[in-house]
Short mmCIF file of all heavy atoms in Angstrom, two decimals:
data_model
loop_
_atom_site.label_atom_id
_atom_site.label_comp_id
_atom_site.label_asym_id
_atom_site.label_seq_id
_atom_site.Cartn_x
_atom_site.Cartn_y
_atom_site.Cartn_z
N LEU A 13 -0.54 2.72 -23.09
CA LEU A 13 0.28 3.32 -24.14
C LEU A 13 -0.45 4.41 -24.91
O LEU A 13 0.16 5.38 -25.36
CB LEU A 13 0.73 2.23 -25.13
CG LEU A 13 1.91 1.37 -24.69
CD1 LEU A 13 2.06 0.18 -25.61
CD2 LEU A 13 3.19 2.20 -24.71
N PRO A 26 1.14 16.41 -16.06
CA PRO A 26 0.24 16.07 -14.96
C PRO A 26 0.45 16.98 -13.76
O PRO A 26 1.44 17.70 -13.65
CB PRO A 26 0.64 14.63 -14.63
CG PRO A 26 2.08 14.55 -15.04
CD PRO A 26 2.21 15.43 -16.24
N VAL A 44 11.36 0.69 -16.36
CA VAL A 44 12.50 0.92 -15.47
C VAL A 44 13.00 -0.40 -14.90
O VAL A 44 12.21 -1.22 -14.41
CB VAL A 44 12.11 1.87 -14.31
CG1 VAL A 44 13.30 2.06 -13.37
CG2 VAL A 44 11.64 3.21 -14.85
N ARG A 88 19.94 20.34 -12.90
CA ARG A 88 21.22 20.97 -13.20
C ARG A 88 21.90 20.39 -14.43
O ARG A 88 22.60 21.09 -15.15
CB ARG A 88 22.13 20.87 -11.97
CG ARG A 88 21.56 21.69 -10.81
CD ARG A 88 22.20 21.41 -9.47
NE ARG A 88 21.59 22.26 -8.43
CZ ARG A 88 21.72 22.07 -7.14
NH1 ARG A 88 22.46 21.07 -6.69
NH2 ARG A 88 21.13 22.89 -6.28
N ALA A 101 25.46 14.83 -23.13
CA ALA A 101 24.48 15.79 -22.63
C ALA A 101 23.21 15.70 -23.47
O ALA A 101 23.26 15.64 -24.71
CB ALA A 101 25.05 17.20 -22.68
N ARG A 106 11.76 21.09 -19.85
CA ARG A 106 10.97 20.89 -18.64
C ARG A 106 9.68 21.67 -18.70
O ARG A 106 9.67 22.83 -19.13
CB ARG A 106 11.78 21.33 -17.41
CG ARG A 106 11.18 20.85 -16.09
CD ARG A 106 12.09 21.18 -14.94
NE ARG A 106 11.67 20.54 -13.70
CZ ARG A 106 12.19 20.78 -12.51
NH1 ARG A 106 13.18 21.66 -12.38
NH2 ARG A 106 11.74 20.15 -11.44
N ARG A 108 6.58 22.24 -15.96
CA ARG A 108 6.10 21.98 -14.61
C ARG A 108 6.90 20.82 -14.00
O ARG A 108 8.11 20.91 -13.88
CB ARG A 108 4.61 21.69 -14.60
CG ARG A 108 3.74 22.84 -15.09
CD ARG A 108 2.28 22.48 -15.08
NE ARG A 108 1.74 22.37 -13.72
CZ ARG A 108 0.63 21.73 -13.43
NH1 ARG A 108 -0.08 21.12 -14.39
NH2 ARG A 108 0.18 21.68 -12.18
N ALA A 120 16.48 1.40 -30.51
CA ALA A 120 15.37 0.57 -30.99
C ALA A 120 14.64 -0.05 -29.81
O ALA A 120 15.18 -0.16 -28.70
CB ALA A 120 15.90 -0.52 -31.92
N PHE A 125 18.91 1.65 -21.99
CA PHE A 125 19.51 2.97 -22.01
C PHE A 125 19.61 3.48 -20.58
O PHE A 125 18.97 2.95 -19.66
CB PHE A 125 18.70 3.94 -22.87
CG PHE A 125 17.32 4.22 -22.36
CD1 PHE A 125 17.07 5.30 -21.51
CD2 PHE A 125 16.24 3.40 -22.72
CE1 PHE A 125 15.79 5.56 -21.03
CE2 PHE A 125 14.96 3.66 -22.24
CZ PHE A 125 14.74 4.75 -21.39
N THR A 126 20.43 4.50 -20.40
CA THR A 126 20.55 5.15 -19.10
C THR A 126 20.27 6.64 -19.25
O THR A 126 20.56 7.24 -20.28
CB THR A 126 21.95 4.97 -18.49
OG1 THR A 126 22.92 5.57 -19.34
CG2 THR A 126 22.26 3.49 -18.29
N ALA A 150 12.38 17.76 11.21
CA ALA A 150 12.00 17.93 12.61
C ALA A 150 13.24 17.89 13.50
O ALA A 150 14.37 17.82 13.02
CB ALA A 150 11.01 16.84 13.01
N ARG A 151 12.99 17.94 14.81
CA ARG A 151 14.06 17.84 15.80
C ARG A 151 13.68 16.79 16.83
O ARG A 151 12.52 16.67 17.23
CB ARG A 151 14.28 19.18 16.50
CG ARG A 151 14.86 20.26 15.59
CD ARG A 151 16.35 20.09 15.40
NE ARG A 151 16.89 20.99 14.39
CZ ARG A 151 18.19 21.08 14.09
NH1 ARG A 151 19.07 20.32 14.73
NH2 ARG A 151 18.60 21.91 13.16
N ALA A 168 6.77 10.05 -5.42
CA ALA A 168 8.18 10.06 -5.04
C ALA A 168 8.93 11.22 -5.67
O ALA A 168 9.97 11.64 -5.16
CB ALA A 168 8.83 8.74 -5.45
N ASP A 183 13.35 -3.16 -10.76
CA ASP A 183 13.70 -4.47 -10.23
C ASP A 183 14.58 -4.35 -8.99
O ASP A 183 14.57 -5.24 -8.13
CB ASP A 183 14.43 -5.30 -11.29
CG ASP A 183 13.55 -5.52 -12.52
OD1 ASP A 183 12.34 -5.68 -12.35
OD2 ASP A 183 14.09 -5.53 -13.64
N ASN A 200 15.42 1.68 2.80
CA ASN A 200 14.95 0.40 2.27
C ASN A 200 16.11 -0.55 1.98
O ASN A 200 17.23 -0.14 1.74
CB ASN A 200 14.17 0.62 0.98
CG ASN A 200 13.15 1.73 1.08
OD1 ASN A 200 13.49 2.90 0.87
ND2 ASN A 200 11.92 1.39 1.40
N PRO A 235 19.84 10.57 14.92
CA PRO A 235 20.92 9.88 15.65
C PRO A 235 20.40 8.57 16.24
O PRO A 235 20.40 8.34 17.46
CB PRO A 235 21.30 10.89 16.73
CG PRO A 235 20.06 11.67 16.99
CD PRO A 235 19.37 11.77 15.65
N TYR A 236 19.92 7.69 15.35
CA TYR A 236 19.23 6.47 15.78
C TYR A 236 20.13 5.51 16.54
O TYR A 236 21.34 5.41 16.29
CB TYR A 236 18.68 5.74 14.56
CG TYR A 236 17.47 6.34 13.89
CD1 TYR A 236 17.50 6.67 12.53
CD2 TYR A 236 16.29 6.55 14.59
CE1 TYR A 236 16.39 7.18 11.89
CE2 TYR A 236 15.17 7.07 13.95
CZ TYR A 236 15.23 7.39 12.60
OH TYR A 236 14.12 7.91 11.97
N LEU A 283 -0.79 -15.55 6.29
CA LEU A 283 -0.71 -15.27 4.85
C LEU A 283 0.42 -15.98 4.13
O LEU A 283 0.37 -16.14 2.91
CB LEU A 283 -0.56 -13.77 4.63
CG LEU A 283 -1.69 -12.88 5.14
CD1 LEU A 283 -1.34 -11.42 4.94
CD2 LEU A 283 -3.02 -13.22 4.46
N GLN A 306 8.50 -0.13 2.12
CA GLN A 306 8.94 -1.53 2.01
C GLN A 306 10.25 -1.76 2.75
O GLN A 306 11.25 -1.11 2.49
CB GLN A 306 9.09 -1.87 0.52
CG GLN A 306 9.42 -3.33 0.23
CD GLN A 306 9.29 -3.62 -1.25
OE1 GLN A 306 8.28 -3.30 -1.87
NE2 GLN A 306 10.33 -4.21 -1.84
N PHE A 315 4.56 4.38 20.72
CA PHE A 315 4.33 3.20 21.55
C PHE A 315 2.95 3.20 22.22
O PHE A 315 2.76 2.58 23.27
CB PHE A 315 5.44 3.04 22.59
CG PHE A 315 6.82 3.09 21.98
CD1 PHE A 315 7.57 4.25 22.04
CD2 PHE A 315 7.34 1.99 21.31
CE1 PHE A 315 8.83 4.32 21.47
CE2 PHE A 315 8.59 2.04 20.72
CZ PHE A 315 9.33 3.21 20.80
N ASN A 347 -1.56 -3.23 -6.30
CA ASN A 347 -2.58 -2.95 -7.30
C ASN A 347 -1.92 -2.40 -8.57
O ASN A 347 -1.02 -1.56 -8.51
CB ASN A 347 -3.64 -1.98 -6.80
CG ASN A 347 -3.12 -0.76 -6.08
OD1 ASN A 347 -3.35 -0.59 -4.90
ND2 ASN A 347 -2.41 0.11 -6.80
N ASP A 349 -3.22 -0.49 -10.65
CA ASP A 349 -3.65 0.89 -10.83
C ASP A 349 -4.27 1.33 -9.51
O ASP A 349 -4.80 0.51 -8.75
CB ASP A 349 -4.68 0.98 -11.97
CG ASP A 349 -5.14 2.40 -12.20
OD1 ASP A 349 -4.48 3.15 -12.92
OD2 ASP A 349 -6.20 2.77 -11.63
N ILE A 388 -17.95 4.35 7.83
CA ILE A 388 -18.12 4.04 6.41
C ILE A 388 -18.93 5.13 5.72
O ILE A 388 -19.98 5.54 6.18
CB ILE A 388 -18.82 2.68 6.21
CG1 ILE A 388 -17.92 1.56 6.71
CG2 ILE A 388 -19.19 2.45 4.75
CD1 ILE A 388 -18.55 0.19 6.64
N VAL A 399 -9.42 3.90 -14.86
CA VAL A 399 -8.09 4.22 -14.35
C VAL A 399 -8.16 5.54 -13.59
O VAL A 399 -8.84 6.48 -14.00
CB VAL A 399 -7.08 4.32 -15.51
CG1 VAL A 399 -5.72 4.80 -15.00
CG2 VAL A 399 -6.94 2.97 -16.20
N ILE A 411 -11.85 3.28 0.86
CA ILE A 411 -11.11 2.04 0.63
C ILE A 411 -10.69 1.35 1.93
O ILE A 411 -10.39 0.16 1.91
CB ILE A 411 -9.88 2.31 -0.26
CG1 ILE A 411 -9.01 3.42 0.34
CG2 ILE A 411 -10.33 2.66 -1.67
CD1 ILE A 411 -7.79 3.75 -0.49
N PHE A 413 -12.47 1.42 5.42
CA PHE A 413 -13.48 0.83 6.31
C PHE A 413 -14.55 0.08 5.54
O PHE A 413 -14.96 -1.01 5.94
CB PHE A 413 -14.07 1.92 7.19
CG PHE A 413 -13.01 2.70 7.93
CD1 PHE A 413 -12.80 4.04 7.67
CD2 PHE A 413 -12.20 2.06 8.84
CE1 PHE A 413 -11.80 4.73 8.32
CE2 PHE A 413 -11.19 2.75 9.51
CZ PHE A 413 -10.99 4.09 9.26
N ALA A 439 -2.18 -13.75 -1.54
CA ALA A 439 -0.81 -13.36 -1.20
C ALA A 439 0.20 -14.19 -1.98
O ALA A 439 1.16 -13.64 -2.54
CB ALA A 439 -0.58 -13.50 0.30
N VAL A 480 -22.11 -5.49 -6.49
CA VAL A 480 -22.84 -4.62 -5.56
C VAL A 480 -21.91 -3.92 -4.58
O VAL A 480 -21.97 -2.70 -4.41
CB VAL A 480 -23.91 -5.44 -4.81
CG1 VAL A 480 -24.52 -4.60 -3.68
CG2 VAL A 480 -25.00 -5.90 -5.77
N GLU A 497 -47.04 -13.11 12.62
CA GLU A 497 -46.37 -14.39 12.77
C GLU A 497 -45.12 -14.52 11.89
O GLU A 497 -44.39 -15.51 11.98
CB GLU A 497 -47.33 -15.53 12.42
CG GLU A 497 -48.54 -15.61 13.34
CD GLU A 497 -48.15 -15.94 14.77
OE1 GLU A 497 -47.15 -16.67 14.96
OE2 GLU A 497 -48.82 -15.46 15.71
#
Side-chain angles (χ1 to χ4, degrees):
L13 280 168
V44 178
R88 294 166 180 166
R106 194 174 190 188
R108 298 179 70 199
F125 64 92
T126 62
R151 292 281 172 176
D183 299 324
N200 313 86
Y236 286 124
L283 299 176
Q306 185 169 310
F315 309 100
N347 46 245
D349 181 85
I388 294 177
V399 174
I411 54 181
F413 307 114
V480 171
E497 298 295 328

